[in-house]
Amino acid sequence: MRVPSRSPGQQPGSPVSPTAPARRRPPGTTPRRVPTPEPDLAAYRTAVAELLVEVGALADASSTRARQVLIDERLREPALADVLDATPQGLIGARETLLLEMARYQPNDRTSARDLTALVRIYLLSRIDVLWWQDAPTFLTDDQVNGSAELVDLEWLRRRDLLGFRYQEQPATMLGRAARGLRRRLRPDLTPRTAGLLFRRARREVVALLNDIAREFAAAAPPATPPLWVTSLVRSAEHQYRLRRLGYAAMLPSGHCLGYSVDVELAWFERFGARDTLAELLLNRQRAGELNVIDEGQAWHLCLAPTARRRLRRAYEAEMGV
């Protein structure tokens, strides 16, 4: 039996043919990386909208199997698959997570997902946030949020009249919750009906974004319209799990846990004739590539695009005199 040669000229895995020598790169050079084309987000959003029509037609409990088949087929279409496959979970992971969310779904008064169609919309559109910020570190615990040097204290800024938007904090005591409940009974429309912020902290770029939106909204809205109202900012993954246990449509991973997503009130501005003005303003920013926008009913979810981060950081520093 002949034993294959192990001479230095014939190493395992090297070209067999002596007529095809390996090409050498000049010293100090690195291989050229072929840039990966960015997924078409406009096509993705259109495909999601089309899928939602089909999901809505299969909303009854007897259509569970048909919904699963529909989701499995549609998510493999290029317009959807290109985006989902570029997220950390990949297409298969995203598909399995969505089907699991649908199987566990229970409608309640707290969730922004009023039905299965809304749940699918929120989940699929929130994958754009994850695609954009997949390399950003997650705030895992409440302590990480409260102690992060990447976040600024909104109350410190508010007291110095450096915020163009409003918010309210969650009451920390039983007495505070009782006082909040009494105010709502006496003046139910004075403020939006929201639990408020658990963390009054935000990234500097997000503060600049919200100030910018608030100025544009104030200029376009009818007279006497209140300022932009923010209902949610940064959250820890720990808090996100708490919200899920309470029945909220708190997706994971989430742009909130990265600090780049916020929720702003929409429904309350209807009584001032300003809801559609704010909605169009936000959608225009999405079309410009600055935001990802998700209609969640009472509030809309916004996520800052990475391409706008540097400009907004400079804007924050200029506004705050840093």
Side-chain angles (χ1 to χ4, degrees), residues 103-233:
R104 291 177 172 175
Y105 172 74
Q106 293 290 334
N108 61 75
D109 293 336
R110 289 173 169 167
T111 181
S112 55
R114 294 302 180 185
D115 52 31
L116 274 175
T117 303
L119 178 75
V120 174
R121 179 179 67 250
I122 292 169
Y123 178 79
L124 289 178
L125 293 181
S126 70
R127 298 311 88 187
I128 296 176
D129 302 4
V130 176
L131 168 69
W132 279 347
W133 296 106
Q134 58 187 288
D135 295 327
T138 298
F139 294 106
L140 296 175
T141 66
D142 296 353
D143 288 342
Q144 285 183 1
V145 173
N146 288 321
S148 174
E150 296 298 314
L151 306 175
V152 293
D153 184 359
L154 294 182
E155 190 64 14
W156 189 90
L157 296 173
R158 186 191 67 80
R159 290 175 180 174
R160 288 157 179 78
D161 199 27
L162 294 173
L163 297 182
F165 57 92
R166 292 181 183 173
Y167 63 91
Q168 64 182 7
E169 295 182 67
Q170 291 186 19
T173 64
M174 289 290 293
L175 181 60
R177 287 191 287 272
R180 170 85 49 94
L182 178 60
R183 285 197 300 270
R184 283 181 175 172
R185 285 194 295 273
L186 295 176
R187 303 185 67 182
D189 297 322
L190 180 63
T191 61
R193 296 188 65 84
T194 174
L197 305 181
L198 178 62
F199 307 104
R200 65 183 193 199
R201 296 171 65 75
R203 288 189 181 273
R204 293 162 176 82
E205 300 89 339
V206 170
V207 171
L209 170 69
L210 292 171
N211 275 344
D212 200 19
I213 293 174
R215 283 189 291 269
E216 188 175 356
F217 181 49
T225 300
L228 181 75
W229 193 285
V230 176
T231 64
S232 183
L233 281 161

Side-chain angles (χ1 to χ4, degrees), residues 83-99:
V83 170
L84 298 177
D85 204 39
T87 64
Q89 278 189 305
L91 171 60
I92 301 302
R95 170 191 171 276
E96 294 302 316
T97 300
L98 176 56
L99 290 176

Side-chain angles (χ1 to χ4, degrees), residues 97 100-102 104-106 108 110-111 119 123 127 235 237-254:
T97 300
L100 184 60
E101 293 283 354
M102 294 173 70
R104 291 177 172 175
Y105 172 74
Q106 293 290 334
N108 61 75
R110 289 173 169 167
T111 181
L119 178 75
Y123 178 79
R127 298 311 88 187
R235 303 174 192 156
E238 179 182 357
H239 184 53
Q240 195 80 341
Y241 279 111
R242 286 197 294 265
L243 293 176
R244 288 177 65 84
R245 289 193 293 270
L246 291 171
Y248 290 93
M251 299 301 173
L252 288 165
S254 168

Side-chain angles (χ1 to χ4, degrees), residues 45-60 67 70-71 74 115-118 120-121 124:
R45 293 185 178 107
T46 299
V48 169
E50 293 170 351
L51 172 60
L52 295 178
V53 174
E54 296 178 279
V55 171
L58 299 172
D60 57 283
R67 286 196 302 268
L70 172 68
I71 293 294
R74 292 294 182 267
D115 52 31
L116 274 175
T117 303
V120 174
R121 179 179 67 250
L124 289 178

